[in-house]
Amino acid sequence: MDSLAIQDPSNPDAAPSPFEYLGFTGFGSVTPPDGADHPGSTVYEVYVDGGWVEVDAGYGPDPDVRGTRVTFHGDIPAGAEAAVSLDLVHTDLVLEQSDGFTVTNTVQSEVSLGEESATGESSATHTLREDIIVVEPGKTFDPHVVVPGESSTVTLTATNGSSSPIDTLTISEPSSGAFDENIVFAGFTGPVVYPEGATDAVITLLPSGETITVADGATPVLPDGVDPASVTGFEITFTGDIQPDATATVPFGVRAADDIPILDLPLAVNNEITVTGERGPTSASETAEDTLHIYEEQIDTWISKQVRPSQILAVPGQSVTVSLNGGLAERPDPEGDNPNYGSTVDADQVVLQDPADVPAGEGEWWDSFNITSITQTPIPADSTLTIEYYDTTDGTWKVFSGPIAGPAIHSEQIPPEIQAVAGGIRFVYDYTGTESNGFPPGTEFAPNFTSELRSDSRVSPETPAFDAENGGTLENCATSEGTIDASSEGPDATADAPACSQVELIPVDPGPGADLIDKEWLTSSSGGTRP
């Protein structure tokens, strides 16, 4: 080849021209191909007012330029490459375009040898973004339901949502400059995470104005002599070349005030932060909020019950397995359908009892069934299980087994002498761990026991325990209860929630003592018979 030209754009007369948005300020670095690197071998041209004009390499800036062309001359071998860069700047026209407007530019290269030539094209796009600052704040309480004196961890986040870097990112906690009177600052609880591109961070405590410099990944420490409760708020400012989508994270603790009047509970404490981003003289701010809900100390329990099978023959000795499932309700859901239901404190003891009320009356479940065994009953770690039975001869609860330490799966036969007098069963779980004050809200228990249908009524031994001729149903209800230490101050800390299940008795024809197996002979295709 004896020449190679690079032209931008391929059609300088096209409208709109990419040079209307990207104004020409000069030629940048130029790399000639092999064979065209001798003096005078490179020609520079610009397209102005509908024609090409030869200029020198240092020409520009010129807002009227609508195209450029650089032509290399020499003995250029096949495969040789050349490169031309242009210095461009956004024109005033870009201010009239919407965010995300795309400028498409197609360049052309041409090679020639004598009278012969060939061309090729390549395209690229340039997206225009608004030069605005966007910040994205975030705030959460965990847990978001507490009781007076209980702590919650607050996690603050701030993100540079801009399309370009910013110089500073500041979190103001709270926006008002002072925490609500019902919450108290409890110090920083974890490492501060820098947004990408930040080089330092400074915390300013309010109202004192004292400052703390904190490194990326370090947990801030209050200055000597500063009582966390005296801090009414703080600001943290990250500086550097903070990149788009970079996020800062700041964890700290608050404590619900100890002296909130019980009549004011439950109480919703809304807390707002402000996040500000700055780039030179330009800044933008956004707020985020979360609510800490302060409840009185309360325990709510729940229980469900299943009897398997749900149908048995109305014959003494038929057995069923009763499965209880219950425990402490989760923390209240302030935005739910029942915002006042839930447990806010740990429980020292949880009791699942069957039946809900003792003693059972004639014709009720425990009048018609004997408990025969404890079956595959889980015992959680950090707890013990004590199994009690209700003695119908003297109307008292007595210990049958335990305390049995967990974790374990417990099964045990009930002696005949206890079967004869037991009118109820109670599973008493006691917390023995040291890592918390008791079983936390949401703890579940799942004891099981097996019962056998009696022949005579426990309450009235002279009458049958059930209607063998007509069958019927027997219903059984259970309850659960949770308790905190009796020394705890606050409201009543027990609650119960009954759950019932039924078993259907299927009468046998012709009645008790009948042969329950039926048999007939069938004739096979070979003429023989088989049962």
Side-chain angles (χ1 to χ4, degrees):
M1 298 178 291
D2 50 32
S3 69
L4 185 157
I6 298 176
Q7 178 179 311
D8 184 6
S10 59
N11 180 10
D13 292 318
S17 167
F19 283 87
E20 295 179 43
Y21 306 100
L22 303 170
F24 176 81
T25 61
F27 291 97
S29 62
V30 174
T31 304
D34 293 342
D37 52 1
H38 54 278
S41 63
T42 303
V43 177
Y44 295 84
E45 296 173 277
V46 294
Y47 193 81
V48 179
D49 296 331
W52 291 103
V53 179
E54 185 174 342
V55 297
D56 60 41
Y59 182 79
D62 185 348
D64 294 325
V65 169
R66 292 296 179 265
T68 64
R69 185 164 62 195
V70 178
T71 304
F72 304 96
H73 298 276
D75 186 13
I76 304 171
E81 295 182 356
V84 175
S85 65
L86 302 177
D87 294 331
L88 306 172
V89 64
H90 284 160
T91 67
D92 291 342
L93 186 60
V94 304
L95 300 177
E96 302 175 15
Q97 311 310 311
S98 61
D99 184 46
F101 180 82
T102 300
V103 178
T104 301
N105 188 18
T106 301
V107 299
Q108 173 183 287
S109 64
E110 181 179 10
V111 293
S112 299
L113 179 61
E115 298 297 325
E116 297 182 4
S117 65
T119 61
E121 292 183 346
S122 179
S123 297
T125 59
H126 177 72
T127 302
L128 302 178
R129 307 299 305 191
E130 292 184 21
D131 187 23
I132 59 175
I133 295 176
V134 178
V135 291
E136 300 168 1
K139 176 170 188 166
T140 59
F141 286 102
D142 186 23
H144 72 289
V145 173
V146 296
V147 297
E150 187 177 8
S151 297
S152 178
T153 297
V154 186
T155 301
L156 308 180
T157 59
T159 299
N160 175 18
S162 314
S163 59
S164 56
I166 58 176
D167 302 326
T168 67
L169 188 62
T170 300
I171 304 174
S172 300
E173 166 61 280
S175 298
S176 64
F179 291 118
D180 184 279
E181 63 181 356
N182 294 297
I183 58 175
V184 180
F185 181 72
F188 296 97
T189 58
V192 170
V193 178
Y194 277 27
E196 182 185 357
T199 55
D200 60 79
V202 175
I203 298 173
T204 302
L205 302 178
L206 302 175
S208 68
E210 293 180 87
T211 61
I212 306 169
T213 300
V214 57
D216 186 17
T219 299
V221 178
L222 296 179
D224 292 341
V226 174
D227 179 5
S230 70
V231 177
T232 62
F234 64 89
E235 287 187 351
I236 180 168
T237 299
F238 300 90
T239 60
D241 191 32
I242 300 171
Q243 297 299 301
D245 298 323
T247 298
T249 303
V250 181
F252 69 97
V254 295
R255 188 183 73 253
D258 297 304
D259 55 356
I260 303 174
I262 193 171
L263 294 179
D264 292 345
L265 303 176
L267 179 66
V269 179
N270 184 263
N271 189 230
E272 180 190 86
I273 65 167
T274 298
V275 170
T276 302
E278 294 184 350
R279 184 194 305 118
T282 305
S283 66
S285 298
E286 293 289 345
T287 62
E289 62 183 37
D290 197 12
T291 301
L292 183 67
H293 299 270
I294 306 174
Y295 279 67
E296 63 179 312
E297 291 188 352
Q298 65 185 50
I299 289 179
D300 280 318
T301 61
W302 64 277
I303 192 168
S304 64
K305 181 173 183 176
Q306 184 178 18
V307 177
R308 298 186 306 270
S310 60
Q311 295 179 325
I312 59 174
L313 295 177
V315 176
Q318 292 290 295
S319 64
V320 294
T321 297
V322 179
S323 297
L324 306 181
N325 188 238
L328 301 175
E330 297 282 0
R331 288 180 181 263
D333 179 3
E335 284 81 37
D337 294 334
N338 190 2
N340 293 322
Y341 174 78
S343 299
T344 60
V345 292
D346 298 341
D348 298 304
Q349 185 180 86
V350 176
V351 179
L352 276 64
Q353 175 181 310
D354 189 340
D357 299 305
V358 290
E362 185 173 351
E364 295 181 357
W365 178 282
W366 283 88
D367 180 53
S368 303
F369 278 90
N370 281 342
I371 183 170
T372 58
S373 64
I374 307 299
T375 311
Q376 294 290 305
T377 292
I379 307 171
D382 296 328
S383 72
T384 61
L385 169 63
T386 301
I387 304 172
E388 301 177 353
Y389 69 96
Y390 181 76
D391 191 335
T392 55
T393 62
D394 59 13
T396 62
W397 287 97
K398 298 178 180 179
V399 174
F400 161 65
S401 184
I404 307 157
I409 302 293
H410 183 70
S411 297
E412 187 172 1
Q413 293 296 313
I414 306 293
E417 60 271 21
I418 294 180
Q419 294 183 31
V421 300
I425 192 74
R426 194 153 66 180
F427 299 89
V428 182
Y429 294 89
D430 289 290
Y431 183 75
T432 59
T434 58
E435 294 186 1
S436 64
N437 296 322
F439 299 114
T443 302
E444 297 184 17
F445 305 93
N448 305 281
F449 62 92
T450 301
S451 293
E452 187 176 283
L453 193 59
R454 295 169 56 95
S455 59
D456 60 333
S457 164
R458 189 187 306 277
V459 176
S460 302
E462 68 281 0
T463 61
F466 54 89
D467 186 343
E469 182 176 350
N470 298 308
T473 60
L474 291 173
E475 184 175 64
N476 188 20
C477 296
T479 187
S480 62
E481 181 179 279
T483 308
I484 62 173
D485 192 330
S487 64
S488 297
E489 297 180 0
D492 183 10
T494 63
D496 57 21
C500 300
S501 186
Q502 294 181 335
V503 65
E504 181 180 3
L505 302 182
I506 307 299
V508 178
D509 186 18
D515 184 359
L516 303 182
I517 300 177
D518 193 15
K519 177 178 178 180
E520 62 179 310
W521 294 92
L522 303 176
T523 301
S524 71
S525 59
S526 61
T529 59
R530 61 182 177 86

